[in-house]
Amino acid sequence: MDQNQTVADAPPVARSAIRKVSTRLVPFVALMFFINYLDRTAIGFAAPNGMNEDLALSAAQFGFASGVFFIGYILLEVPSNLALHKFGARRWLSRIMVSWGIVALLFTWVQNFEQLVVLRFLLGVAEAGFFPGAILFLSLWVPAQYRGRILMLFYLAQPLTTVIGAPLAGWLIQQHGAFGLEGWRFMFLGVAIPAIVVGVIAWFYLKDKPADAKWLTRDEQVWLTDALQKETSATQKKEHGHVSARFAFKSGRVWVLSFIYFGFIYGLYALAFFLPTIIEGFQSQTGQTFDTLQKGLITAIPYLPAAIVMYFWSRDASKRGLKTWHIAGPAIAGAISIPLALFAGSPAATIAVITITACAIFAALPNFWTLPTRFLTGAAAAAGVALINTIGNLAGFSAPFVTGAVHDWTGGYEVPMFIVGFVMLVSAVLMVLLARSNRINPVTVDETATPTAAATGAAGTDAAATDAPAVDAAALRAAADPKGDAR
């Protein structure tokens, strides 16, 4: 399972196009993801800082409320991604973001367990389709061999959400009494408003395809459009023209990738929802008392190294070509480390082991998401990416619920963490087996040739200029078709 061509091997027009996409488009989508992940995990910061006590929640009730988010999320993932494929990412991602921001705002005034469950369910409904839509959107802006780099830059937002978001959440919680609200309620208010604001901005900032991006030169637009069209055609030929949503549902490769992703997400959400609670236990273990800001800073510790490791691990995959061990190796490391965290003997050792787990999970995820679009295009890509995320996010429901329920049953976190380790080990085994099938190798497309449209006097001109060669105009028209498979 190799993908050998890198950005360094590309022609100048390709390097400049990829660089511009990396700097102009990816940071904004990453900001959207940052807000998305902060809003969905804010309940984890609120729980030990007054919410569980004020709403009289048991560990199992908190776990259920945390996980019920994923029921509505899962039900609407595939329909939402198909809608994005039909209507365009700009409209659909903006709509999703404003919708979840409004629901997130209502958490400020939640009064009991029942209301909390309803709002978490509605938040899942509102957010459905955002993550797979963002992955699909970015994947359709650059050819396959450059997607690892693009998705890595996008995925940096997730660990940085905790690095920045955990102390931010702690600071907001400390503002007890602001607007007459308890600290945890003010925190919900503070993280909801940015979703609405950025969602409105996204409507005007995002572009659906390279041909619409005025910040690309004419040659860059043509190169990206032509390279993407060639790759789409080659993939469809390899897969015998299967581009329908039905093909994604019938694909064994899609289902195996779904179960691999399930393991990573199981580990990710077990950490996200229960790490603040585990840190709360450090106080009785050490006799120290931490304020909410200190707890937020401790929570953030594993995620800064995770962001650094993810960057260099993805960079290595880009240089060497993506290998099986770039995904399976981190899964094994996570499977071994996460149960050991509870036997580390001290808070510092516990955090160190959890840091290894976080590094393992985040190292694998950007590389993993380059795989589906190796063999899926058009509606099949929209449905397949959403289906993988849907099955994976069943772990988003089961991980916090099972962890909370087993904790209540056993009185500790030892057994729940061994369950997490086992699930991640299964992901590693499935990844090795899938790679050995040789059915997820990328198509070979010659993208080294310079586009035929000369740059002379063309930079900054309309993408549909009449003096463009026919082949380039055809490529741009194909990309502009909102229902075409090139999207």
Side-chain angles (χ1 to χ4, degrees):
M1 186 189 73
D2 295 344
Q3 185 172 300
N4 295 315
Q5 188 176 1
T6 66
V7 176
D9 303 321
V13 67
R15 291 198 297 271
S16 63
I18 299 303
R19 182 174 61 252
K20 287 184 180 179
V21 172
S22 300
T23 57
R24 296 290 296 269
L25 191 64
V26 177
F28 187 82
V29 181
L31 173 64
M32 297 171 73
F33 185 32
F34 176 95
I35 298 170
N36 173 257
Y37 193 70
L38 184 59
D39 280 344
R40 74 165 65 178
T41 57
I43 190 174
F45 300 116
N49 292 295
M51 186 187 75
N52 281 1
E53 181 179 354
D54 289 350
L55 303 184
L57 302 180
S58 68
Q61 285 178 318
F62 166 67
F64 181 81
S66 299
V68 76
F69 164 94
F70 293 96
I71 296 178
Y73 189 87
I74 286 166
L75 290 175
L76 294 178
E77 278 282 81
V78 174
S80 181
N81 229 34
L82 291 174
L84 180 143
H85 174 70
K86 180 178 181 180
F87 298 114
R90 178 180 66 85
R91 295 182 180 89
W92 202 250
L93 292 179
S94 177
R95 193 281 306 163
I96 290 174
M97 200 166 191
V98 172
S99 298
W100 98 56
I102 293 171
V103 175
L105 191 64
L106 298 178
F107 279 81
T108 307
W109 299 282
V110 65
Q111 297 298 319
N112 52 48
F113 169 66
E114 290 76 17
Q115 291 180 8
L116 182 66
V117 169
V118 170
L119 286 178
R120 285 289 295 177
F121 174 79
L122 291 177
L123 186 64
V125 170
E127 286 192 21
F130 172 77
F131 178 78
I135 290 287
L136 180 64
F137 172 60
L138 293 174
S139 295
L140 296 181
W141 267 79
V142 294
Q145 63 264 38
Y146 313 114
R147 286 177 194 150
R149 174 183 174 179
I150 294 295
L151 294 179
M152 176 274 294
L153 294 172
F154 166 70
Y155 239 109
L156 276 173
Q158 191 162 356
L160 291 179
T161 299
T162 306
V163 173
I164 301 171
L168 173 62
W171 180 82
L172 290 171
I173 290 170
Q174 284 187 328
Q175 310 311 304
H176 184 82
F179 299 107
L181 300 170
E182 291 92 342
W184 63 270
R185 294 183 186 276
F186 183 73
M187 184 268 296
F188 277 124
L189 177 69
V191 300
I193 292 176
I196 300 172
V197 174
V198 175
V200 172
I201 295 173
W203 181 276
F204 302 97
Y205 187 84
L206 293 182
K207 303 298 180 185
D208 285 321
K209 54 190 178 296
D212 293 339
K214 294 182 178 179
W215 39 267
L216 292 171
T217 67
R218 172 66 184 283
D219 280 353
E220 290 164 349
Q221 289 179 331
V222 172
W223 181 85
L224 279 172
T225 300
D226 188 51
L228 289 166
Q229 182 61 52
K230 286 179 180 178
E231 182 178 277
T232 297
S233 299
T235 301
Q236 291 177 5
K237 182 178 180 180
K238 177 183 176 183
E239 300 297 331
H240 308 292
H242 293 140
V243 297
S244 68
R246 181 178 298 179
F247 172 70
F249 283 98
K250 294 169 63 177
S251 172
R253 287 168 289 178
V254 169
W255 286 100
V256 173
L257 288 173
S258 298
F259 291 120
I260 293 170
Y261 188 57
F262 180 95
F264 286 116
I265 298 302
Y266 197 98
L268 180 64
Y269 279 104
L271 285 179
F273 287 121
F274 282 90
L275 181 56
T277 303
I278 293 172
I279 290 172
E280 188 78 13
F282 289 165
Q283 295 183 117
S284 59
Q285 187 176 353
T286 64
Q288 294 178 285
T289 300
F290 306 125
D291 62 31
T292 51
L293 179 58
Q294 290 172 324
K295 292 174 186 175
L297 290 171
I298 295 171
T299 301
I301 290 173
Y303 293 93
L304 181 58
I308 296 171
V309 169
M310 180 176 70
Y311 174 81
F312 285 104
W313 192 257
S314 297
R315 187 176 178 180
D316 183 79
S318 177
K319 285 184 176 180
R320 296 174 185 263
L322 181 62
K323 312 291 185 182
T324 303
W325 51 264
H326 279 117
I327 300 172
I332 294 173
I336 295 172
S337 62
I338 197 164
L340 296 180
L342 298 175
F343 299 95
S346 71
T350 300
I351 291 296
V353 178
I354 289 175
T355 298
I356 295 174
T357 304
C359 289
I361 293 172
F362 284 107
L365 288 175
N367 295 313
F368 170 86
W369 277 114
T370 66
L371 301 180
T373 49
R374 286 185 172 192
F375 61 93
L376 297 172
T377 63
V385 170
L387 179 60
I388 292 167
N389 195 56
T390 296
I391 299 300
N393 276 290
L394 286 173
F397 173 78
S398 58
F401 180 68
V402 170
T403 302
V406 175
H407 171 272
D408 287 350
W409 177 47
T410 62
Y413 283 104
E414 290 82 2
V415 175
M417 293 302 105
F418 272 108
I419 293 174
V420 175
F422 174 76
V423 173
M424 291 191 67
L425 183 60
V426 171
S427 290
V429 173
L430 289 175
M431 187 65 243
V432 172
L433 294 176
L434 182 61
R436 287 185 175 180
S437 72
N438 294 320
R439 299 190 65 209
I440 53 173
N441 292 325
V443 295
T444 301
V445 179
D446 181 12
E447 293 168 359
T448 60
T450 303
T452 56
T456 307
T461 61
D462 191 324
T466 56
D467 61 345
V471 64
D472 297 327
L476 290 174
R477 284 197 298 271
D481 178 5
K483 296 184 179 179
D485 291 327
R487 296 191 57 200

